[in-house]
Amino acid sequence: MTTLMDAIQGGDLEIYLQDFGQPVVIDGRPLTALVDDEGQGPDEARENVNVQVRKLVVKEAELARPKSGRPMILDGVPWIVSNTKGAGGFLEIQLYKEVS
């Protein structure tokens, strides 16, 4: 599975963040992030539960690396951290929330 950071090679991440990043507020802290709404679908681990998934890319220096399972408030909406990957000074954070 290709991650957002894999798709945007090396130093290009900084350029993408400057050109396509959008303002977000994570746990009360304003940041600029690349936001990729991955849509919604069934939770593979739980029957009859649908989740919405979103990925963010932020500068690692601006946010402490969140652990899986940790709640995170994104633009006033509660999410759960699914996983976090770091590379080249950036963090890719995958979030989910239950929708049914």
Side-chain angles (χ1 to χ4, degrees), residues 16-25 30-36 54 56-58 74-75:
Y16 270 81
L17 193 59
Q18 289 173 6
D19 292 346
F20 301 108
Q22 59 189 60
V24 296
V25 178
L31 301 170
T32 300
L34 294 174
V35 179
D36 184 15
R54 183 166 289 168
L56 306 173
V57 174
V58 298
L74 174 63
D75 294 332

Side-chain angles (χ1 to χ4, degrees), residues 56-75:
L56 306 173
V57 174
V58 298
K59 289 183 181 179
E60 192 168 22
E62 295 179 349
L63 186 69
R65 180 180 285 203
K67 294 184 180 190
S68 294
R70 172 196 179 289
M72 179 178 279
I73 305 297
L74 174 63
D75 294 332

